[in-house]
Amino acid sequence: MYSPPDPTSYNRLVWDIVRQVPAGRVSTYGQIASMIPPPDGVDELQYRRLGARWVGGAMHAVPDGSGVPWQRVINSKGEISVRERTEGHLEQRLRLEAEGVRFDDAGRVDFDAVGWDGPAADWLAERELLPPRPLGKRPSSDPDATQPRLF
DNA sequence: CGTTTGACTACGC
DNA sequence: CGCGTAGCCAAAC
């Protein structure tokens, strides 16, 4: 798999971030990666794809009983990335549904409803991490037809 | 020792 | 909006 220069410390950092995701909310591999600065020498655009894979590797490597809520990390399409018809896939879905996360007929969640907006700004600053990429559709793309003027 | 296979995304059709 | 593919690496077969 695509591995970061230092998988051990990278994984620890990823797990720390994932621990911040509250129950009932979901993040994505790409969003987690977006908070971690790209290592030296890694092209930023390339890191958007590589980093997501690295985070996937970190999730795959979560130790049993570590308390890391790995089920709250899914792919950018809003679906569970663990291969279907596997034990892990079913367990992730059941865990999320137990937290109140709903899946549509296509097996996708609604980021606008359950998407995570990242840790508090000071939490990120303490660790020299970047602000996360927002999830879901941009509310700004919705015309002000439904958005009444406040004055 | 050669192949297959990923807990991913962006981009082009 | 759905589908295929590149990118580019380490393990498991």
Side-chain angles (χ1 to χ4, degrees):
Chain A
M1 278 176 233
Y2 304 71
S3 304
D6 182 357
T8 303
S9 63
Y10 192 90
N11 285 358
R12 246 199 304 271
L13 186 50
V14 168
W15 297 335
D16 259 359
I17 297 173
V18 173
R19 261 187 253 269
Q20 309 306 311
V21 184
R25 312 299 293 280
V26 300
S27 183
T28 69
Y29 304 99
Q31 188 189 37
I32 300 293
S34 74
M35 301 180 216
I36 303 176
D40 293 333
V42 178
D43 175 66
E44 185 158 346
L45 175 56
Q46 194 175 32
Y47 177 72
R48 282 189 74 160
R49 294 182 263 201
L50 267 185
R53 274 204 189 282
W54 294 349
V55 171
M59 290 301 97
H60 195 249
V62 168
D64 286 338
S66 62
V68 176
W70 55 268
Q71 71 271 20
R72 297 174 196 149
V73 186
I74 61 180
N75 67 32
S76 62
K77 292 181 291 190
E79 42 189 42
I80 288 172
S81 231
V82 179
R83 277 202 304 165
E84 273 187 77
R85 205 181 324 201
T86 64
E87 191 181 337
H89 182 99
L90 181 61
E91 182 181 1
Q92 184 168 14
R93 169 129 184 179
L94 292 177
R95 281 186 180 222
L96 285 175
E97 287 180 333
E99 298 179 355
V101 176
R102 310 278 298 279
F103 290 82
D104 65 16
D105 294 336
R108 293 199 271 250
V109 307
D110 179 8
F111 281 128
D112 290 328
V114 297
W116 186 44
D117 46 6
D122 54 352
W123 191 95
L124 289 170
E126 284 171 17
R127 285 148 238 264
E128 297 182 348
L129 296 175
L130 282 37
R133 188 162 52 84
L135 256 35
K137 321 162 201 171
R138 307 274 154 68
S140 56
S141 65
D142 190 37
D144 47 357
T146 58
Q147 185 72 20
R149 286 277 187 175
L150 292 180
F151 58 93

